[in-house]
Every structure is written in structure tokens, then in C-alpha cells.
Amino acid sequence: MTLARRSLLAAAPALAAATLAAPRAARAQAGAGRVVILGGGFGGASAARFARDRFPQLDITLIERSRTFTTCPYGNLVLAGRRDMASITFGYERLAARGVRVVHQAAVAVDAGAKRVRLADGAQVPYDKLIVSPGIDLRWGAIEGYDEAASARMPHGWVPSLQPISVLAAQLRAMRDGGVFVMAIPDNPFRCPPGPYERISMVAEYLKRHKPRSKIIALDAKNGFSKQPLFQDAWAELYPGMVEWRGASNDGRVVRVRPAEMEVETEFGDRVKGDVINVIPPQMAASIAREAGLAAASGWCPIRPTTFESAQVPDVYVLGDATVAAPMPKSGFAASSHAKHAVACIAASLAGRPTPPAVFFNTCYSHVGDDYGISIVGVFRGTPERIVEVEGSGGISPRNEALGARARDFRKLEALYADGWYDAITNEMFG
Amino acid sequence: MRIAAPMLAFGLLAAPPALAQAPDAALLAGSCQGCHGATGEGGHGIPSIKQQQTRAEFVAAMRAFRANERPSTVMGRITRGYTDAEIAALAVHFGKPE
Ligand SMILES: Cc1cc2nc3c(=O)[nH]c(=O)nc-3n(C[C@H](O)[C@H](O)[C@H](O)COP(=O)(O)OP(=O)(O)OC[C@H]3O[C@@H](n4cnc5c(N)ncnc54)[C@H](O)[C@@H]3O)c2cc1C
């Protein structure tokens, strides 16, 4: 194992050098082409790795503004005190060693006519096919008073490149016992549908252990949420009396914040004060996607469900959270599923072959307590009109009453498998 | 054999027209790899699926998950989303070489 690893490491730079030195020779190969990937997160890094492993004839460039990538997944475990920032942060060295040309620059414009991407340093990167997976931007001002300055007092902890989860974690650590942790949760669509509720759970786990007289008030702009019965069962079972969730019909929609008073205001004028306030605002596709003309009026990017090629700009493929891909959730696993399919479609297109059948997959695990995990699964197919979930498949973990005596083991296994998923997917991207 | 017929019917019902095309095993395997690892090696209690079974054993296991005849956490929910042809392609991809 160690030996194999070593020789692989030793061989890698040579391999990388060969790939970089020979783009011209490679292009002579059947189906060769320059694929540029914009954004090195779940969609982009997965695309780069899959393309490099499976299609050696492709020349792969990855444009990512940051030198490291901190995952959103497992950020909630930092709040619980189970993980530190280092354990959820990764570098691009291994991807580069595998022969991906990694360029650490911000992309500032896409010229779809000339088929090239302009970087912050002025360089132009030409492409035959472009993959865009830039994630999301927050809609500052959509909640009155919630702008970037306000997010220092009332952290979002939803886009690690804007604000690491450690900011919210520090506020939680500093909170007094008996304090109130307030959350504002947006309407659909938004990044990671179960994410806010995993966050409630991980904050509750921390409070139960360290500040047991404290409360969590979650104000939600929706009337229901992902894995709701499982989350609510778990809160009642593990954190009785600690979590109050208010949906939209119960005046849960936050419309205004007052950071100076540490207060949020709901649609019908209820003012709620918090010792720590976590505002997850409404979202849209990241700016580069919108500026490149990939987004519709909704702020999200429509795609062709059979290929993930943009419905608006030819030869540009959009992946991940930036897309309109419902009923697939905006998840890291979904982004990596889009990525593999789009890369296969690009390779097929360059080689003049038919596109492969569009089958997509997602599993989202959530940690809700110690040795207590839950999941939602979905298998999807792309038709020319839309993405459809395969009937009779997928769904959420069974509830306690259905599991009976098996419940404890089941939850424990799902918590274990969640860790396995995290290791597998981050290893695939960055290992 | 008892479960083979209904499952085949299910597969046909679930299959949109695009499935007339042969499944792309390496692409389908990408979904499995999201949890079972880049080569199917497993970890954290997630079983290895890398050449652990013959193709026939692999297919039988997936069908048992699909029919809820073999207990699982997620595999029942997952296998009900795939056709027989896709499972057969995955069996060739992950099964012992024959
Ligand atoms: C709290 C929380 C928990 C979550 N848990 C899970 C989970 O358990 N499982 C799961 O599957 N998903 C989870 N998610 C969702 C997951 O994080 C996202 O769905 C995923 O990151 C989307 O991938 P992406 O490629 O679209 O965007 P990202 O992963 O955000 O990647 C975008 C990348 O593009 C780069 N970029 C953007 N613009 C430019 C530019 N102009 N130039 C250069 N680079 C640029 C950014 O720096 C970034 O690295 C969670 C999210 C949150 C908030």
C-alpha cells in the first residue's frame, strides 16, 4: 500500500509534465479537445478528476480562485466541536499531480463567442468545451438590513469562501448558558435542503453538552423541509424542549434584521432577539455564471437535462448548485453526479459519439446526534424536457416505529456511513 | 427466479425511451464510488465492492436489496432506481473478472 502510494507519487510529476508538454500531440488523438473547468468545488473538482481518469485524450484546465477548498459538508460538525477546520479543508496539489492544469486565478468574464475565459490577471484561457460550477452567491438585501456588514454580527456560515464556519462557531462558544440561538432559514430553492436542520441538530448537541439551559429558535420561510419527520423525531428524542421550529404559516418568515439590536423581525411583525443569530439568506447562482448569460430571470441556470449543457449558451456546461436541476437537490453529491455525466457527454460530443443515458444519483446524510445519522436518497433520469426521480426508489430513512428494535443500530450505521461518504467523495476530488 | 420476473417488469416500466441505449457502466459506477470509494474499496464500515463477488452474486445481491429481502440502510432505496440492464453492467464493472 505504502509502496504503491510512493511509486504513484513519484510517477505523478513526470506524468503531469508529459501531459502539459504534449497538448498538441494529444489534440491529434481522436476526440481530443480543450476542456476548461471554472470552479474547483464539488462539481468542478469531481469533473476534473473524472475527466483525467477516464478520458486521457482531453486537455483539462481547472480555474479556481482559492488555493484551498473548505467543504460546506461537515461544517456543521465544527459547530458541534467534533471537527476542526483543518479536517474539512483540502488543497489542489494531488489533482495537479494527476495531470490537471490548475490555475489559481479568479475568472472575470466568459467570452462565449470567442470561446475563452478571461482571468483576473488578464490572461485568456481558450476552450472547446467549458464547464462552469461556481456555486452560489447570497442575495444581500433580500432580507432588509442583511448585507455583508451585517453578516459579521449575524453570520450565515453558508459559503465558506465568504465566511468560514469558524466565525459562527466562535460566537456559539462565547454564548452564555441560557442564551438563545436564533436561525433564519430561506424558502426553496437553496443550497443543501437538509443543511439548516443538520445545523440545528449539531448546535443542539453542543448546547446540551455545554450550555444545557439554552434554546434554539428556528424561523423558517417554508412550511416543511427535507427529512422533516426524522429531524423532528430526533430533536424530541435527543434534545427535548430545546428546539422550537416555526414554519411560514406560523409567522416564521424573517423579513428584516437589526444587527445593532441583535434582533430579527418576521413577516407579521414579531421581533425575536438572539444571543447568537445565524441568518441563511436567499441565494442565486454565483456572479460569473450570471454575468456569462447562463442564468434565467430566477437567478439560476437552466440546463438541458440530458447533458447539463446550458440551455442558453452552447458548449458551456453548468453543474451543481448554480443550476435549475430540481427535483435533484443542491448538494455536493448531486454536483459530482452532474459532473461525471457532463464530462462523459463532452467526451462523446468531441468524439462524435451519441451521449450516454442520463442517470443521476444523490445521497445526503445528516448527523443529528451522537451515533445518530439519517439520509435521503434519490435516483434520477434526464429526459429532454426535465429531470425525473425514478418512481418507487429513493426516499428517507425509515422512522423509529418502522424500525422497532433495529432503530439504534440503523441510526448508528448511517452516522458511520456518513463519515465514509465524506471520506470517499473528498478523496475522489482531492486525493 | 421468483423475484426475477417482477423486477424485470419494474425495470421496463421505469425505463424511459433513452434506455434503449446500452448502459454506460463506468459512468453508472461513478454513483457507487461516491460512497464506496474511487475503486469500490469501501471504508468506515462501508463494504468493499471491488471484485468481492462473481457477477451472478453481485446481481443476486442487488436484487435482494431491491426486493427488501436483504436488510440494508440505503441500498434498498438505491437499487429500486436502477434497471436490470444497469445492474448487470455494474456487475461486470465491480464483479470478479470472468
Ligand atoms: C452547512 C452545509 C452542509 C452541507 N452538507 C452537505 C452534505 O452533507 N452532502 C452534500 O452532498 N452536500 C452538502 N452541502 C451542499 C454542498 O456544499 C453544495 O451543494 C456544493 O458545494 C455545490 O457544489 P458546486 O460545485 O456547485 O459549488 P462549490 O462547491 O461552492 O464550488 C464552487 C467553487 O467555484 C469557485 N469560484 C466561484 N466563482 C469563481 C470565479 N469567478 N473564478 C474562480 N473560481 C470561482 C469557488 O471559489 C468555489 O471553490 C452542504 C452545504 C452546507 C451549506
Side-chain angles (χ1 to χ4, degrees):
Chain A
M1 180 69 198
T2 320
L3 219 114
R5 266 245 166 97
R6 274 226 189 100
S7 55
L8 195 79
L9 270 170
L15 211 108
T19 316
L20 286 176
R24 213 168 281 275
R27 224 169 300 158
Q29 253 177 278
R34 295 162 304 182
V35 177
V36 173
I37 302 169
L38 201 175
F42 275 85
S46 302
R49 170 72 188 271
F50 188 71
R52 192 62 299 144
D53 281 3
R54 232 195 120 192
F55 302 108
Q57 75 275 20
L58 299 179
D59 182 52
I60 310 294
T61 302
L62 177 66
I63 302 169
E64 165 58 52
R65 60 189 167 202
S66 304
R67 299 235 155 226
T68 58
F69 182 78
T70 300
T71 64
C72 288
Y74 277 59
N76 288 331
L77 279 73
V78 173
L79 297 176
R82 295 202 209 173
R83 287 267 184 159
D84 59 14
M85 293 302 286
S87 73
I88 60 166
T89 301
F90 301 85
Y92 293 89
E93 299 77 15
R94 302 275 306 152
L95 264 184
R98 288 179 186 279
V100 174
R101 188 182 298 107
V102 182
V103 180
H104 286 298
Q105 281 281 323
V108 293
V110 175
D111 182 343
K115 293 179 85 169
R116 60 190 187 201
V117 178
R118 184 153 53 83
L119 305 182
D121 67 0
Q124 303 274 6
V125 185
Y127 65 82
D128 297 308
K129 301 280 186 184
L130 176 65
I131 290 177
V132 178
S133 193
I136 58 164
D137 277 348
L138 302 175
R139 289 183 185 266
W140 302 120
I143 295 175
E144 195 185 312
Y146 196 69
D147 55 17
E148 199 156 6
S151 76
R153 280 306 293 275
M154 300 178 166
H156 52 82
W158 217 247
V159 182
S161 57
L162 294 179
Q163 181 182 65
I165 193 70
S166 49
V167 173
L168 185 59
Q171 292 195 2
L172 182 62
R173 298 290 174 275
M175 191 175 99
R176 67 187 166 95
D177 189 11
V180 180
F181 185 96
V182 173
M183 271 179 84
I185 303 170
D187 202 349
N188 297 319
F190 66 102
R191 161 173 283 183
C192 196
Y197 314 97
E198 182 189 60
R199 177 166 292 176
I200 290 171
S201 312
M202 289 294 91
V203 169
E205 180 181 290
Y206 168 81
L207 293 176
K208 181 181 176 180
R209 193 165 299 150
H210 300 284
K211 291 155 190 173
R213 297 189 298 119
S214 310
K215 290 244 168 325
I216 299 171
I217 301 177
L219 301 168
D220 206 324
K222 309 178 286 305
N223 278 323
F225 57 86
S226 177
K227 298 183 247 187
Q228 182 167 357
L230 297 174
F231 276 115
Q232 289 183 323
D233 286 352
W235 296 338
E237 186 183 335
L238 304 173
Y239 318 113
M242 187 177 268
V243 181
E244 179 193 337
W245 175 82
R246 270 164 64 180
S249 60
N250 202 8
D251 196 18
R253 180 190 292 272
V254 169
V255 295
R256 197 168 288 113
V257 300
R258 294 188 191 81
E261 284 106 88
M262 283 301 278
E263 181 182 275
V264 304
E265 188 179 326
T266 63
E267 201 170 4
F268 298 106
D270 190 15
R271 294 173 172 215
V272 181
K273 282 196 184 294
D275 294 271
V276 175
I277 301 182
N278 172 207
V279 177
I280 305 168
Q283 301 150 24
M284 58 188 162
S287 58
I288 188 76
R290 286 178 288 119
E291 285 158 14
L294 297 167
S298 66
W300 303 104
C301 305
I303 46 86
R304 299 185 194 286
T306 50
T307 58
F308 272 75
E309 187 175 19
S310 165
Q312 302 186 176
V313 183
D315 295 319
V316 179
Y317 294 69
V318 192
L319 316 176
D321 288 0
T323 60
V324 179
M328 291 192 79
K330 296 190 186 299
S331 79
F333 205 141
S336 96
S337 181
H338 305 163
K340 290 167 186 173
H341 186 70
V343 165
C345 288
I346 284 171
S349 163
L350 290 169
R353 283 184 280 108
T355 53
V359 187
F360 306 108
F361 181 68
N362 179 65
T363 296
C364 284
Y365 286 104
S366 301
H367 285 281
V368 294
D370 210 19
D371 280 339
Y372 197 127
I374 58 176
S375 65
I376 184 165
V377 170
V379 184
F380 307 86
R381 291 172 194 274
T383 73
E385 298 78 32
R386 66 185 67 84
I387 296 176
V388 290
E389 184 159 7
V390 178
E391 217 178 302
S393 73
I396 64 174
S397 315
R399 293 178 74 172
N400 284 340
E401 62 255 31
L403 289 169
R406 284 204 299 141
R408 231 194 118 107
D409 284 345
F410 199 101
R411 306 294 182 225
K412 195 171 173 171
L413 272 179
E414 293 221 286
L416 184 69
Y417 294 164
D419 294 347
W421 165 78
Y422 186 78
D423 278 2
I425 200 157
T426 54
N427 191 46
E428 192 172 45
M429 293 159 66
F430 299 109
Chain B
M1 213 48 224
R2 194 169 52 80
I3 59 159
M7 282 309 136
L8 195 75
F10 171 88
L12 289 173
L13 284 175
L19 282 177
Q21 216 182 321
D24 181 331
L27 191 49
L28 285 170
S31 297
C32 314
Q33 289 158 354
C35 290
H36 287 275
T39 63
E41 73 278 9
H44 277 288
I46 297 179
S48 170
I49 51 170
K50 184 182 177 182
Q51 300 182 4
Q52 298 295 304
Q53 295 173 311
T54 65
R55 291 170 187 177
E57 286 165 348
F58 185 97
V59 168
M62 296 308 120
R63 286 190 168 169
F65 281 135
R66 203 155 63 171
N68 269 338
E69 288 171 353
R70 179 172 168 169
S72 69
T73 53
V74 291
M75 285 307 297
R77 289 178 269 162
I78 293 170
T79 46
R80 283 189 280 281
Y82 292 90
T83 63
D84 284 342
E86 289 166 343
I87 285 176
L90 287 166
V92 174
H93 187 89
F94 286 115
K96 288 179 182 158
E98 281 168 26

